[in-house]
Amino acid sequence: MTTFFKFLMYLTFVTMLHKTTAQKIAFAIHGGAGTILRQNISEQQEKEIKEDLYKALKAGYEILEKGGTALDAIEIAIRILEDSPLFNAGKGSVIAANGKIEMDASIMDGKTLRAGSVAGVRTIKNPITAARAVMEKSKHVMLTGKGAEEFAEMHGIEITDPSYFFINKRIEQLKEAKESEWRGDNNILYNDHKYGTVGAVALDKYGNLAAGTSTGGMTNKKFGRVGDSPIIGAGTYADNRSCAVSCTGHGEYFIRYTVARTVAALVEYKRWSLKKALHYVLFEELLPNGGRGGIIAVDKNGNISTQFNTEGMYRAWIDHKGNYEIKIYE
Amino acid sequence: MTTFFKFLMYLTFVTMLHKTTAQKIAFAIHGGAGTILRQNISEQQEKEIKEDLYKALKAGYEILEKGGTALDAIEIAIRILEDSPLFNAGKGSVIAANGKIEMDASIMDGKTLRAGSVAGVRTIKNPITAARAVMEKSKHVMLTGKGAEEFAEMHGIEITDPSYFFINKRIEQLKEAKESEWRGDNNILYNDHKYGTVGAVALDKYGNLAAGTSTGGMTNKKFGRVGDSPIIGAGTYADNRSCAVSCTGHGEYFIRYTVARTVAALVEYKRWSLKKALHYVLFEELLPNGGRGGIIAVDKNGNISTQFNTEGMYRAWIDHKGNYEIKIYE
């Protein structure tokens, strides 16, 4: 009887423990990192940016609270950021050298390691939703250009006229970038503009992680250049064994250092904390070699870390204790 | 005097040690993995395949022997395999659903972690050379489609009429794939054809590693599908701190499992041997989830491992002791 009682106690304990760990939810988003200086952003602009970050954070978190999946949470949050003209993704994307807006996005499911990505798409209203369709409705991971658009249309994803994405600010930025290029000052692309990307990472109550990233790329980009956002392992990675990661920054560096995958590898193979892994990659690997940007990540226990080696990063999160923050600077 | 003598001895020892370790060279190539069954390959075919593998192996290794760089060795070897109609890369590439040949390639320098890649190119005679130009002559890592072709042309890289790449066997294979698709038998793409890719990994006498991969992709591919070959961290990775890796296989799995980067991470972070790392990724990560293919890798000490979870892989190598092998089956 005593043994039976002990066993019951044990079962209750295990169930409780399982419930506590499995029910933790956590959510984080970003809207890009870079040279974000207080003097360049008006109070009104800051207010608007924070409002849209809040809207995206809230929408994603509510899904998690109601028992929705990490994938649903990140998709809805990224759609809101894509629809906002304030971020470089979806509406408000930066313009390539050819005068077109060419967007990239990717998504990854930490439970199954399935992933989907689209690159160089011009007509898909919400590239993150197309990336998810690639993951769930194709045998492929990465589709590009017109082929990706054709696939999205076949699957009933909203297609829009390319003019929808254009906003005046980006037209000005392209002009400015082209002028500085003619002057021979190539650094403007890297130093004077923020690295625009949006992204989200989530842990749902089933213990599943997911990550997603979406971007309009780089102002004045040429030659069909693809950055890190649609590259699994570079801009996006998620694995239930370690963490979910979304990056924003000078894409070329994030590809070469496979940043998202490296963070996950350090957490899984070296058993580093998320905080230590992000700090190492940003400040020991990227910065000494000239790579600038930011990372948001959530681990399987609901710990969140958001770090950057630039002046600022638009970011917001709610951790597994329910604490939330919306921040731009350090 | 004794101390001085000891110091001299020490210096000599260190110099000798450095020389011995730094002068090790090693080289490995592959020409794809998959359902390669003895009954499907005639003696004549086997002989021709082995001859071309030998040509590529020899050309790359001679460069290393003469004090050339790992990058030069892998570029020349991959060019030879691209020029051979026997492998799915360059001439002899498989054909996409739209009747076009769309090729991908990537290269990475383990010393600097610089990388270059082209995806979906139709007119570049040697995509590996274009990938190297992207690495060395642009600020970017990945260029796609017509933009990549324009960039290559600007840098004097040989452009050819798309008809150059077509061979009869591939036209037959596309017909066959389309017919099996109409019958609703989608598996033919994955099960009945080898995963065609070529690749090379090298350690030069300066202790630098490099890796490269090139492919025509997948017969009957659609929607601008991109596989693992042009993705840094998936099909290709090199880092002097660990190893150089080139993969061939069902690309979607190699992207999701960031196979090349995972091998390097296991070697660097877990201090696993190359052999253990390749075996783990192929048989513990990929195979149970349905991912099939092969990996070749060389580590910073000149150890080589070539493994696959398919019936065969075209491969050849010369290790740091000068031992060489050209193999198709286990």
Side-chain angles (χ1 to χ4, degrees):
Chain A
M1 192 65 181
T2 324
T3 320
F4 181 64
F5 187 65
K6 270 186 188 161
F7 181 61
L8 262 186
M9 289 274 289
Y10 171 71
L11 265 189
T12 316
F13 175 68
V14 166
T15 314
M16 277 173 64
L17 192 74
H18 180 72
K19 252 191 161 162
T20 343
T21 43
Q23 282 193 339
K24 272 183 191 172
I25 58 173
F27 191 56
I29 60 172
H30 70 78
T35 312
I36 304 170
L37 299 173
R38 274 196 178 81
Q39 61 262 35
N40 296 337
I41 296 185
S42 70
E43 263 181 50
Q44 180 57 27
Q45 282 174 315
E46 187 172 326
K47 195 174 150 267
E48 284 171 11
I49 287 166
K50 285 189 170 176
E51 272 171 13
D52 280 358
L53 286 173
Y54 177 76
K55 251 172 74 181
L57 184 72
K58 188 166 169 277
Y61 192 76
E62 279 179 0
I63 284 183
L64 296 175
E65 264 189 320
K66 288 179 186 154
T69 66
L71 284 168
D72 283 341
I74 62 166
E75 185 189 353
I76 202 168
I78 292 176
R79 284 179 66 102
I80 289 169
L81 298 170
E82 285 175 341
D83 291 346
S84 162
L86 302 174
F87 307 98
N88 175 19
K91 187 174 186 68
S93 284
V94 299
I95 308 169
N98 59 9
K100 315 262 186 202
I101 286 179
E102 298 173 332
M103 298 164 290
D104 306 326
S106 66
I107 195 166
M108 186 158 183
D109 176 3
K111 183 185 177 188
T112 57
L113 297 193
R114 286 188 311 164
S117 134
V118 293
V121 296
R122 297 175 181 173
T123 62
I124 298 172
K125 185 166 173 270
N126 291 103
I128 193 68
T129 297
R132 187 167 178 184
V134 173
M135 174 173 78
E136 293 178 343
K137 294 170 185 168
S138 87
K139 288 181 174 170
H140 302 308
V141 170
M142 188 173 191
L143 302 183
T144 59
K146 281 199 201 320
E149 292 169 3
E150 196 188 314
F151 174 84
E153 207 169 344
M154 269 177 60
H155 288 87
I157 287 165
E158 194 174 348
I159 300 294
T160 183
D161 189 84
S163 63
Y164 159 79
F165 299 105
F166 284 77
I167 60 167
N168 285 333
K169 189 174 88 178
R170 303 306 191 192
I171 298 168
E172 283 308 307
Q173 283 176 349
L174 177 64
K175 230 176 99 184
E176 216 178 284
K178 281 195 186 278
E179 278 165 10
S180 81
E181 190 182 39
W182 291 325
R183 286 196 308 270
D185 169 20
N186 280 315
N187 285 328
I188 191 165
L189 293 185
Y190 303 111
N191 296 336
D192 290 357
H193 287 82
K194 77 173 186 63
Y195 303 112
T197 316
V198 306
V201 293
L203 171 68
D204 66 28
K205 66 184 339 177
Y206 316 103
N208 294 324
L209 293 164
T213 311
S214 180
T215 189
M218 197 182 257
T219 300
N220 201 25
K221 71 182 173 191
K222 287 170 193 158
F223 307 122
R225 175 258 187 191
V226 170
D228 62 315
S229 301
I231 307 286
I232 298 306
T236 303
Y237 205 71
D239 185 337
N240 277 3
R241 292 172 291 188
S242 52
C243 54
V245 186
S246 172
C247 304
T248 173
H250 189 162
E252 278 69 13
Y253 287 90
F254 282 68
I255 296 176
R256 291 166 48 201
Y257 288 83
T258 59
V259 170
R261 177 59 178 117
T262 298
V263 166
L266 289 167
V267 169
E268 187 182 354
Y269 302 145
K270 297 197 94 169
R271 311 227 163 259
W272 284 7
S273 72
L274 213 51
K275 199 176 158 188
K276 185 175 173 183
L278 263 64
H279 191 272
Y280 171 80
V281 173
L282 284 166
F283 294 94
E284 308 283 321
E285 295 264 297
L286 291 172
L287 196 58
N289 295 297
R292 288 179 164 271
I295 310 175
I296 63 169
V298 56
D299 71 15
K300 58 185 177 180
N301 302 313
N303 299 305
I304 285 173
S305 184
T306 72
Q307 296 184 49
F308 47 97
N309 62 22
T310 51
E311 282 77 9
M313 173 162 74
Y314 301 138
R315 63 206 191 280
W317 69 91
I318 306 184
D319 70 13
H320 65 88
K321 293 171 198 147
N323 302 319
Y324 89 92
E325 291 274 6
I326 302 181
K327 292 181 108 173
I328 296 182
Y329 310 103
E330 195 59 71
Chain B
M1 193 63 180
T2 325
T3 319
F4 181 64
F5 186 66
K6 268 185 188 159
F7 180 60
L8 262 186
M9 289 274 290
Y10 171 69
L11 266 188
T12 317
F13 175 68
V14 167
T15 316
M16 278 174 61
L17 193 72
H18 181 73
K19 252 190 159 162
T20 343
T21 43
Q23 281 194 339
K24 271 182 190 171
I25 58 173
F27 192 57
I29 59 172
H30 70 78
T35 312
I36 304 170
L37 298 175
R38 273 196 178 83
Q39 62 263 36
N40 296 337
I41 297 184
S42 70
E43 263 181 50
Q44 180 58 25
Q45 282 173 314
E46 186 171 329
K47 196 173 150 267
E48 285 171 10
I49 287 166
K50 285 189 168 174
E51 271 170 15
D52 280 358
L53 286 172
Y54 178 75
K55 252 172 76 180
L57 183 73
K58 188 166 170 274
Y61 192 76
E62 278 179 0
I63 284 183
L64 296 174
E65 263 189 321
K66 288 178 187 156
T69 65
L71 285 168
D72 283 342
I74 62 167
E75 186 188 351
I76 202 168
I78 292 176
R79 284 178 66 102
I80 290 169
L81 298 170
E82 284 175 342
D83 291 346
S84 162
L86 302 174
F87 307 98
N88 175 19
K91 188 175 185 66
S93 284
V94 300
I95 308 170
N98 58 9
K100 316 262 184 203
I101 286 179
E102 299 174 331
M103 297 164 290
D104 307 326
S106 66
I107 194 165
M108 187 158 184
D109 175 3
K111 183 186 177 188
T112 58
L113 296 194
R114 286 189 311 164
S117 131
V118 293
V121 297
R122 298 176 183 173
T123 61
I124 299 172
K125 185 166 172 272
N126 291 105
I128 194 67
T129 297
R132 187 167 179 185
V134 173
M135 174 173 78
E136 293 178 344
K137 295 170 184 168
S138 86
K139 290 182 172 170
H140 301 307
V141 171
M142 188 173 191
L143 302 182
T144 58
K146 280 199 200 323
E149 291 169 4
E150 198 188 313
F151 174 84
E153 206 167 346
M154 270 177 60
H155 288 87
I157 287 165
E158 194 174 349
I159 300 293
T160 183
D161 189 85
S163 63
Y164 159 78
F165 299 104
F166 284 76
I167 59 166
N168 286 333
K169 189 174 86 178
R170 302 307 190 191
I171 299 168
E172 284 307 307
Q173 282 176 348
L174 177 64
K175 230 176 96 185
E176 215 177 285
K178 282 194 188 278
E179 277 165 11
S180 82
E181 191 182 37
W182 293 325
R183 285 196 308 270
D185 168 21
N186 281 314
N187 285 329
I188 191 164
L189 295 185
Y190 303 109
N191 296 336
D192 290 356
H193 287 81
K194 78 174 183 66
Y195 303 112
T197 316
V198 307
V201 293
L203 170 69
D204 65 28
K205 65 185 337 179
Y206 316 104
N208 294 324
L209 293 165
T213 311
S214 180
T215 188
M218 195 183 258
T219 300
N220 200 24
K221 71 183 172 191
K222 289 171 193 160
F223 307 123
R225 177 258 187 189
V226 169
D228 63 315
S229 302
I231 307 286
I232 299 305
T236 302
Y237 205 72
D239 185 338
N240 277 3
R241 293 172 290 188
S242 51
C243 54
V245 186
S246 172
C247 304
T248 173
H250 189 162
E252 277 69 13
Y253 286 90
F254 283 69
I255 297 177
R256 291 167 47 203
Y257 288 83
T258 60
V259 169
R261 176 61 179 116
T262 298
V263 166
L266 290 168
V267 169
E268 187 183 352
Y269 302 146
K270 297 199 94 168
R271 310 227 164 260
W272 282 8
S273 71
L274 214 52
K275 200 176 155 189
K276 185 173 173 185
L278 264 64
H279 191 271
Y280 172 78
V281 173
L282 284 165
F283 294 94
E284 308 283 322
E285 296 264 298
L286 291 172
L287 196 58
N289 295 296
R292 288 181 165 270
I295 310 175
I296 63 168
V298 56
D299 70 16
K300 57 185 177 180
N301 302 313
N303 299 305
I304 285 173
S305 183
T306 71
Q307 296 183 47
F308 46 98
N309 63 21
T310 51
E311 281 77 9
M313 172 163 73
Y314 300 138
R315 62 206 190 279
W317 70 90
I318 306 185
D319 69 14
H320 64 88
K321 293 171 199 147
N323 302 319
Y324 89 92
E325 290 276 5
I326 302 181
K327 292 182 107 171
I328 296 182
Y329 310 102
E330 194 61 70

